[in-house]
Amino acid sequence: MGFAYTNLFARELPAPAPRWTGFPKYNFIGGHNDPVHIPAEGLAAAASAVLRRRGADLAMYNFDGPQGYHGLREFVAAKLATGPGISCAADDVLITSGSGQGIDLVNRVMLERDDTVILEEFTYGGALTKLQRLGVKIVGAPLDEGGLRIDALDRILGDLARKGAAPKYIYTIPTIQNPTGTIMPRERREQLLELSRRHGVPIFEDECYADLVWAGDRPPALFALDPSRVVHIGSFSKTLSPALRLGYAVADWQVMSRLVGCKREMDSGTGALDQMIVAEYFTTQFDPHVDGLTRTLEDKLATMVEAVEQQFGTAVEKMWRPKGGIFLWLKLPDAIDVRKLVEPAAKAGIAFNPGPEWACDGPAAKSHLRLCFALTSKEQIREGVAAFAQVCFEETGIPERSDNVRRSAV
Amino acid sequence: MGFAYTNLFARELPAPAPRWTGFPKYNFIGGHNDPVHIPAEGLAAAASAVLRRRGADLAMYNFDGPQGYHGLREFVAAKLATGPGISCAADDVLITSGSGQGIDLVNRVMLERDDTVILEEFTYGGALTKLQRLGVKIVGAPLDEGGLRIDALDRILGDLARKGAAPKYIYTIPTIQNPTGTIMPRERREQLLELSRRHGVPIFEDECYADLVWAGDRPPALFALDPSRVVHIGSFSKTLSPALRLGYAVADWQVMSRLVGCKREMDSGTGALDQMIVAEYFTTQFDPHVDGLTRTLEDKLATMVEAVEQQFGTAVEKMWRPKGGIFLWLKLPDAIDVRKLVEPAAKAGIAFNPGPEWACDGPAAKSHLRLCFALTSKEQIREGVAAFAQVCFEETGIPERSDNVRRSAV
């Protein structure tokens, strides 16, 4: 007979969730990771060690204070010193329930309805969704193979200032940009900070994927170059496991004290066992774990690129070959609206990220798509891309040829 | 030099957090638990077992779907069948990041600014804070030793209906009421549901402490008696560990589908290791663990009551002796405003919950306070209560006598 008071629900609610029916067979969406690289034995040993040492502390909320487990904050500070060259102490780090909460916290501190922010033209879909929900105006800035184009960004900032709509921040993913997979060179980072200074706009730096680089060097983080203008966030979802919900934020104390104040309103801390076990494991195993994972991801990318080239051929107008990470960003011919492929693909057991969900100008990205290759096996990648090309052909007539053979409806 | 853009912060922000300096020596606040009863070895063994079985699944977000780890939902369903008599399946359960997120989710689904809700006159401080932040009008309903007074509640509901301010829900903690520690008898639960039917107001039932009963029987949950009128939440913070951030919600699918939809906006799932390890441990160890913990808590309460009687004597006008749980609610003479004791107590290493933070009518509860006894040892309870009585005497001249000896300033 159901709930007697559905008439009392708040007016503006997200759609009701459907009953969950499991994952698609060819799952090319989201930030899932490689299951073979989950170090179950290592995590079990870490759990034993840390529970024996600190177990009794679990009796308390936030037993190492509201910024999170001290051991994990110490590890983050050490990792930031060697990777992105950030010099900070454990007390400058806030552990967040995933980097999604990091974004929520920075938005809470910086934004009000009708504010303006600048995002990269193609960007993380979750960041877009959160900003749309907050009623914030999003301005997209163009990208090239080095990330944000400084000349274009300078013009945009000038235009906004003249309109009296100075942006509250520039959100950038400089190292393994999501979804294009590019790395912003150091020189351009310096130029971006110079723009920040000149236009009086802070930078919100998201380095979610930055530990998974296989092509070229990793330049210093923007935060490393100027901590007075940047709030920096990162994640363990990509280097270890998205199910653990562990991210972090690093910022000057004037920002950090606000982030911590706002986190207290959002939750009563981040899950402690997750924090303790990851700290224990990664304090000794981060480098070998991430090296192995990165090699596997690079290998899976090669399979994905080969499969896409084989199945889609010249129908791929542009392929952004990523320098690290877990996704491949593609452009198909303008005649294809990938949003119309979502449903038929799902029927064939295929899930992918349609470009419009990953772009400031959604309709303009209707022929783009993102394919994640971390979760699926190489065999699933080959099969799934072939099945996707077939769906695409049946819906649009493109690609006409695959593997040099003319397609026909199955 | 600090962050260059503090001028760009949002206008209405919580106060900046201070640097964390550790816990007070005599920590009688919050929902902390007994550290001796954290089963570190058992959790370590559970971690090993479940990581070996399901470790690879950590590669995925929400690997058992958006309602949380299936094993934990199965355990919750089993626990609800035996304790509060709720008949539900794992798919009717949503795992939340603490019961605080359960409250946030129900509020998100049910409330809009300027709505009215009914709370128990003395109630959980966190629920009050969340509602105040949402701009919701709070009406307090009187309590007696059986919980909500049905006659008074009936009048309040009638008055509100006449004023056109029909409440969106009645929030109640029927089993081990927070802070009074009472249990609502079954007959009154039936009467409350009858009021709900007659006035068309749903019930929001919080059973956070309901597994820790030592005096008398546990009646069936309100949800067990009428699932069409009740949303039910609970927690593992009190039965195991508040640091783990695990709670749950149970509701009819018409509500559940909304809660799940809203949780997706709040996070990308609850930390998985926390869920997996607790499910693994509690599936076999819940009863013995909770039995042992409950006995210890009852014992600590006896120490706390004895210390309060010894140190405060007749200065305690009323003491609500709880039937379970972790806290003692007291009323001191009207001449004492406990809010003025917070700072001097903190200087003496003592923290307590001032009544106004746990009451719908804050100023009227200025002589009430809540003392939690789970975290501190019996020795700390004796020392801390003695030190608190001394602070109270020095600030207010009350209690004049302790242990039958006239007090004097130290």
Side-chain angles (χ1 to χ4, degrees):
Chain A
M1 77 177 206
F3 189 63
Y5 306 102
T6 53
N7 60 312
L8 298 181
F9 285 174
R11 275 162 301 190
E12 287 184 29
L13 284 181
R19 292 272 187 192
W20 193 68
T21 55
F23 289 109
K25 182 169 181 192
Y26 305 113
N27 194 351
F28 300 135
I29 62 163
H32 302 305
N33 218 319
D34 186 317
V36 176
H37 278 273
I38 298 293
E41 292 292 335
L43 293 175
S48 284
V50 75
L51 276 163
R52 253 161 227 144
R53 216 171 56 242
R54 299 287 307 265
D57 286 330
L58 291 172
M60 281 176 280
Y61 284 97
N62 283 317
F63 57 82
D64 279 344
Q67 286 170 250
Y69 177 54
H70 196 265
L72 189 57
R73 289 188 279 129
E74 272 188 325
F75 170 69
V76 169
K79 169 174 103 75
L80 289 175
T82 53
I86 289 171
S87 157
C88 71
D91 285 351
D92 302 319
V93 176
L94 170 65
I95 302 301
T96 58
S97 304
S99 68
Q101 187 182 56
I103 295 177
D104 284 337
L105 287 168
V106 172
N107 286 348
R108 174 76 182 87
V109 171
M110 297 299 299
L111 301 183
E112 291 171 9
R113 184 166 284 276
D114 297 324
D115 274 349
T116 300
V117 294
I118 295 182
L119 269 62
E120 294 164 329
E121 60 174 330
F122 307 128
T123 190
Y124 169 47
L128 282 168
T129 314
K130 287 173 190 295
L131 290 165
Q132 283 153 359
R133 205 181 301 140
L134 292 173
V136 165
K137 290 179 196 121
I138 296 165
V139 176
L143 294 165
D144 62 20
E145 63 287 345
L148 277 171
R149 277 178 43 203
I150 298 300
D151 54 340
L153 183 57
D154 193 10
R155 269 195 306 278
I156 289 169
L157 286 164
D159 287 349
L160 287 172
R162 271 187 297 280
K163 280 196 254 171
K168 281 291 193 79
Y169 63 59
I170 300 162
Y171 173 72
T172 178
I173 308 167
T175 312
I176 312 301
Q177 206 274 339
N178 185 352
T180 59
T182 60
I183 298 178
M184 186 186 286
R186 171 162 184 154
E187 192 190 353
R188 202 180 285 195
R189 293 178 189 229
E190 304 274 12
Q191 292 164 346
L192 178 58
L193 287 164
E194 171 53 28
L195 279 194
S196 161
R197 256 185 296 275
R198 190 144 48 80
H199 291 276
V201 181
I203 292 171
F204 181 8
E205 174 176 51
D206 186 348
E207 285 216 328
C208 249
Y209 295 93
D211 291 317
L212 302 173
V213 175
W214 55 68
D217 289 336
R218 175 179 182 178
L222 290 156
F223 185 84
L225 299 173
D226 190 348
S228 76
R229 295 178 197 283
V230 183
V231 181
H232 179 99
I233 64 169
S235 173
F236 291 107
S237 294
K238 317 308 170 189
T239 46
L240 184 61
S241 152
L244 297 191
R245 312 311 311 124
L246 289 180
Y248 53 85
V250 188
D252 176 86
W253 183 254
Q254 288 186 308
V255 182
M256 180 57 71
S257 61
R258 297 301 188 156
L259 297 174
V260 177
C262 291
K263 179 162 162 74
R264 200 170 292 180
E265 282 196 354
M266 281 187 201
D267 64 29
S268 309
T270 291
L273 278 175
D274 285 20
Q275 294 185 68
M276 292 160 78
I277 294 170
V278 170
E280 195 76 11
Y281 179 71
F282 265 173
T283 296
T284 59
Q285 298 301 314
F286 184 76
D287 288 340
H289 174 78
V290 167
D291 287 352
L293 176 60
T294 305
R295 273 196 303 275
T296 295
L297 293 173
E298 186 182 8
D299 194 34
K300 283 191 174 183
L301 168 69
T303 302
M304 172 71 88
V305 168
E306 194 183 286
V308 167
E309 283 174 344
Q310 202 172 63
Q311 296 297 329
F312 283 85
T314 54
V316 176
E317 287 193 351
K318 186 166 177 186
M319 181 192 287
W320 284 255
R321 201 177 173 126
K323 296 188 165 180
I326 61 171
F327 40 72
L328 180 64
W329 181 242
L330 301 170
K331 170 149 189 346
L332 300 176
D334 289 337
I336 297 178
D337 183 342
V338 297
R339 294 170 292 192
K340 296 182 181 155
L341 301 181
V342 171
E343 220 174 291
K347 278 189 191 135
I350 306 154
F352 69 95
N353 292 122
E357 294 177 10
W358 249 251
C360 293
D361 182 352
K366 72 170 173 41
S367 309
H368 289 71
L369 69 144
R370 197 184 82 143
L371 296 173
C372 296
F373 47 79
L375 175 66
T376 40
S377 68
K378 290 209 245 178
E379 195 183 348
Q380 284 172 323
I381 290 173
R382 282 187 213 104
E383 286 176 13
V385 170
F388 186 46
Q390 184 64 28
V391 166
C392 192
F393 170 74
E394 286 174 17
E395 297 294 320
T396 69
I398 299 172
E400 269 194 321
R401 306 179 69 82
S402 292
D403 220 1
N404 269 338
V405 177
R406 178 169 290 275
R407 278 191 180 274
S408 57
V410 178
Chain B
M1 78 175 206
F3 189 63
Y5 307 102
T6 52
N7 60 310
L8 298 181
F9 285 173
R11 274 161 302 188
E12 285 182 32
L13 283 182
R19 291 274 186 190
W20 192 65
T21 55
F23 289 109
K25 183 171 181 191
Y26 305 113
N27 194 350
F28 300 135
I29 62 164
H32 302 303
N33 217 319
D34 186 316
V36 175
H37 278 272
I38 299 293
E41 292 292 335
L43 294 175
S48 283
V50 74
L51 275 163
R52 252 160 228 142
R53 215 170 58 242
R54 298 286 309 263
D57 286 330
L58 292 172
M60 279 175 281
Y61 284 96
N62 283 318
F63 55 83
D64 277 344
Q67 287 170 249
Y69 177 55
H70 195 266
L72 188 58
R73 288 188 280 128
E74 272 188 325
F75 169 70
V76 169
K79 169 174 103 75
L80 290 174
T82 54
I86 290 171
S87 156
C88 70
D91 285 351
D92 302 318
V93 176
L94 170 66
I95 303 300
T96 59
S97 304
S99 69
Q101 188 182 56
I103 296 177
D104 284 336
L105 286 168
V106 173
N107 287 346
R108 175 76 182 85
V109 170
M110 298 299 299
L111 302 182
E112 292 172 7
R113 183 166 285 275
D114 298 324
D115 274 349
T116 299
V117 294
I118 294 182
L119 270 61
E120 294 164 328
E121 58 174 331
F122 307 127
T123 190
Y124 169 45
L128 283 169
T129 314
K130 287 174 190 297
L131 291 166
Q132 283 153 357
R133 205 181 301 140
L134 292 173
V136 166
K137 289 180 196 121
I138 298 165
V139 176
L143 296 166
D144 63 20
E145 63 288 346
L148 278 170
R149 278 179 41 202
I150 299 299
D151 55 340
L153 183 57
D154 194 9
R155 269 196 305 278
I156 289 169
L157 287 164
D159 288 350
L160 287 173
R162 273 188 294 281
K163 281 195 253 172
K168 281 291 193 78
Y169 63 61
I170 301 163
Y171 173 72
T172 178
I173 309 167
T175 312
I176 313 302
Q177 205 273 340
N178 185 353
T180 60
T182 61
I183 298 178
M184 186 187 285
R186 172 164 183 151
E187 192 190 354
R188 202 178 286 194
R189 292 177 191 230
E190 305 274 13
Q191 293 165 343
L192 178 57
L193 287 163
E194 171 52 29
L195 279 195
S196 160
R197 259 185 294 273
R198 190 144 45 81
H199 292 276
V201 180
I203 292 171
F204 180 10
E205 174 176 51
D206 187 348
E207 284 218 326
C208 248
Y209 295 92
D211 291 317
L212 302 173
V213 175
W214 54 69
D217 289 336
R218 175 180 183 175
L222 290 156
F223 185 85
L225 299 172
D226 190 347
S228 76
R229 293 178 201 282
V230 183
V231 180
H232 178 99
I233 64 168
S235 175
F236 292 107
S237 294
K238 319 306 172 190
T239 47
L240 184 62
S241 152
L244 296 190
R245 314 311 311 124
L246 289 179
Y248 52 85
V250 189
D252 176 86
W253 183 253
Q254 287 185 308
V255 182
M256 181 56 72
S257 61
R258 297 301 187 154
L259 296 175
V260 177
C262 290
K263 179 160 161 76
R264 199 170 292 179
E265 282 197 352
M266 280 188 203
D267 63 30
S268 309
T270 291
L273 277 175
D274 286 17
Q275 295 185 68
M276 292 161 78
I277 294 170
V278 170
E280 195 76 11
Y281 179 72
F282 265 173
T283 296
T284 59
Q285 298 302 315
F286 184 76
D287 289 341
H289 174 78
V290 167
D291 287 351
L293 176 61
T294 305
R295 273 196 302 275
T296 295
L297 292 173
E298 186 181 9
D299 194 34
K300 283 191 175 184
L301 168 68
T303 302
M304 174 71 90
V305 167
E306 194 184 285
V308 167
E309 284 173 345
Q310 203 171 62
Q311 297 296 330
F312 283 86
T314 55
V316 175
E317 288 193 352
K318 185 165 178 187
M319 182 192 285
W320 284 254
R321 202 176 172 127
K323 295 187 165 179
I326 60 170
F327 40 73
L328 180 65
W329 180 242
L330 301 171
K331 167 141 187 355
L332 299 177
D334 289 338
I336 297 178
D337 183 342
V338 298
R339 293 170 293 191
K340 294 181 182 157
L341 301 181
V342 173
E343 222 174 290
K347 278 188 191 136
I350 306 153
F352 69 96
N353 291 123
E357 294 176 10
W358 249 252
C360 293
D361 182 351
K366 71 171 174 41
S367 309
H368 289 70
L369 69 147
R370 196 184 81 142
L371 296 174
C372 295
F373 47 79
L375 175 66
T376 40
S377 67
K378 291 209 244 176
E379 196 186 345
Q380 285 172 323
I381 290 173
R382 283 187 212 103
E383 286 175 10
V385 170
F388 186 45
Q390 184 64 27
V391 166
C392 193
F393 171 72
E394 285 174 18
E395 297 292 321
T396 69
I398 299 171
E400 267 194 325
R401 304 180 71 84
S402 292
D403 222 359
N404 269 338
V405 178
R406 178 168 290 274
R407 278 193 180 273
S408 58
V410 178

